[in-house]
Amino acid sequence: MKLSRNTRGISIILLLVVLTLLVAVLSMNVGKMNLSPLEVFKVIIGEGTSKQNLIVFDFRLPRIVLSILVGIGMGISGCIMQSLLKNDMASPGTLGLSSGSGLFVLMYITLFASEGLLSPILLPGLAFAGGLTAAFLIFMFAFRRGRDISPTGLILTGVAMGSGYSALSLMLTLRLDKQQYDFALRWQAGDLWGDDWSYIMVLLPWVLIICVYVFYRSNTLNTLNLGNQTAAGLGVAIKREFIGLTIAAVALASGSVALGGNFFFVGMVSPHLARKLVGPNHKLLLPTTALVGALVILIADTITRTISFGADIPTGIIITILVTPYFLYLLSKAS
């Protein structure tokens, strides 16, 4: 039975990989400037025209890669938090980490408006600092001496802190000029604004290295799911692993937020969908969650670039529309 379950999980992962590639190819073909599959193929093999190369390599491919990276980062970050806290409502959004990261990024971009060579390197770092600050404050306020931290109390504290960060962000945006205000508004709605190779080449190793570390600790996550007492009895250093995995989750969410805005639902819903597909084994759950998150953002972004809504709609709004019915379904099952 175990072998068949693992085989089924691997088959689902391979299917999701193929589906992601198909959606990526479709995304390169469609848009306001349509290209046929043959034209895209010619571009890939180096026989495209200058206009076709511009459309694929400068406009569409960076956005596709960014969508996938942000989806992977937010999805795995949410999966780690739900596993550590043993609460299906945990995510970078509900814990206020995205808001903390976003506040630091917003302050940097809107107050300093730096577009120099260091900007792509500083953004994820500043977002990480904001996320870590938010995490530290949330755990500090939720801590009770002599008692274990309650996951529900942690989430409620995160929601309260997130509201405070949002209020500070709003105060900041009210001081901006029209161009900066438009950027801040679109970022908060979930806009894949960092679709430039200079930004992506910073985010790519950031996401990949942390994901390798998290997958390496997948057995630890499986053991922690058995409960802290059982995990401690099996030789797991609870505090050390909790801190290390929490930092990894914050780093993934922060890098994604820095270049992709606040994709609140992706970090919450992707682990749910993945768990239904492959079960709780993190060796299968983590890659499945990453692929589901990537697919959700990639599909939503393809829709925003293909369908005319009468305005340039941020990708996060489409994601909210697509994911809300499933979120309501989860709430109805939980009640």
Side-chain angles (χ1 to χ4, degrees):
M1 174 64 94
K2 183 177 180 181
L3 180 62
S4 63
R5 183 179 299 173
N6 288 342
T7 303
R8 177 178 177 272
I10 293 172
S11 300
I12 290 173
I13 291 172
L14 292 175
L15 181 62
L16 288 172
V17 170
V18 172
L19 187 57
T20 302
L21 292 174
L22 289 175
V23 175
V25 172
L26 175 65
S27 186
M28 277 193 280
N29 292 334
V30 299
K32 295 180 175 64
M33 296 174 286
N34 285 330
L35 294 177
S36 68
L38 180 60
E39 289 174 327
V40 173
F41 178 74
K42 286 183 177 179
V43 170
I44 292 174
I45 64 175
E47 296 182 1
T49 65
S50 57
K51 179 181 178 182
Q52 291 168 350
N53 289 335
L54 180 68
I55 293 172
V56 172
F57 290 121
D58 289 359
F59 296 144
R60 293 187 183 167
L61 192 57
R63 199 168 178 89
I64 290 169
V65 174
L66 180 62
S67 299
I68 292 172
L69 290 176
V70 171
I72 290 173
M74 293 300 289
I76 292 187
S77 178
C79 184
I80 296 170
M81 292 176 185
Q82 290 179 12
S83 297
L84 290 179
L85 300 180
K86 301 175 183 62
N87 192 305
D88 290 346
M89 295 296 292
S91 75
T94 53
L95 287 173
L97 304 181
S98 296
S99 299
S101 298
L103 177 62
F104 274 53
V105 172
L106 196 61
M107 289 174 61
Y108 175 68
I109 293 174
T110 56
L111 295 182
F112 300 99
S114 174
E115 297 180 1
L117 294 175
L118 292 178
S119 180
I121 300 174
L122 284 177
L123 278 173
L126 284 170
F128 183 45
L132 277 181
T133 302
F136 174 77
L137 291 174
I138 290 164
F139 279 100
M140 184 180 70
F141 286 120
F143 176 76
R144 296 292 182 272
R145 185 180 298 274
R147 287 189 292 173
D148 291 336
I149 294 178
S150 166
T152 302
L154 201 62
I155 290 174
L156 291 176
T157 304
V159 170
M161 292 296 296
S163 299
Y165 285 125
S166 298
L168 290 174
S169 297
L170 180 60
M171 289 176 59
L172 183 63
T173 56
L174 293 176
R175 301 175 51 193
L176 306 179
D177 59 36
K178 186 179 185 304
Q179 183 178 359
Q180 292 176 329
Y181 179 81
D182 288 343
F183 169 81
L185 193 64
R186 293 182 63 82
W187 177 90
Q188 290 169 346
D191 185 32
L192 293 165
W193 71 274
D195 54 346
D196 184 275
W197 288 116
S198 60
Y199 292 101
I200 292 170
M201 294 313 294
V202 173
L203 183 62
L204 179 62
W206 179 287
V207 170
L208 290 182
I209 291 171
I210 298 171
C211 284
V212 169
Y213 165 76
V214 173
F215 185 77
Y216 177 71
R217 312 307 292 176
S218 56
N219 282 332
T220 300
L221 285 167
N222 287 335
T223 307
L224 289 172
N225 268 350
L226 300 174
N228 289 347
Q229 290 184 344
T230 303
L234 293 172
V236 175
I238 304 294
K239 289 185 178 179
R240 187 185 68 193
E241 297 294 348
F242 188 91
I243 292 173
L245 289 166
T246 299
I247 291 174
V250 172
L252 285 172
S254 300
S256 303
V257 164
L259 303 182
N262 193 359
F263 290 97
F264 170 71
F265 280 116
V266 175
M268 181 184 291
V269 174
S270 297
H272 284 278
L273 290 169
R275 206 171 283 114
K276 287 184 177 296
L277 290 172
V278 299
N281 182 1
H282 284 81
K283 285 188 177 296
L284 300 173
L285 180 61
L286 288 169
T288 305
T289 300
L291 290 167
V292 170
L295 264 174
V296 168
I297 296 185
L298 190 55
I299 291 171
D301 188 59
T302 303
I303 291 173
T304 60
R305 292 192 298 101
T306 305
I307 302 175
S308 176
F309 295 97
D312 189 8
I313 303 295
T315 305
I317 293 177
I318 302 298
I319 291 176
T320 302
I321 294 172
L322 292 176
V323 170
T324 296
Y326 182 74
F327 182 65
L328 294 175
Y329 164 76
L330 289 177
L331 289 177
S332 67
K333 295 290 286 185
S335 59

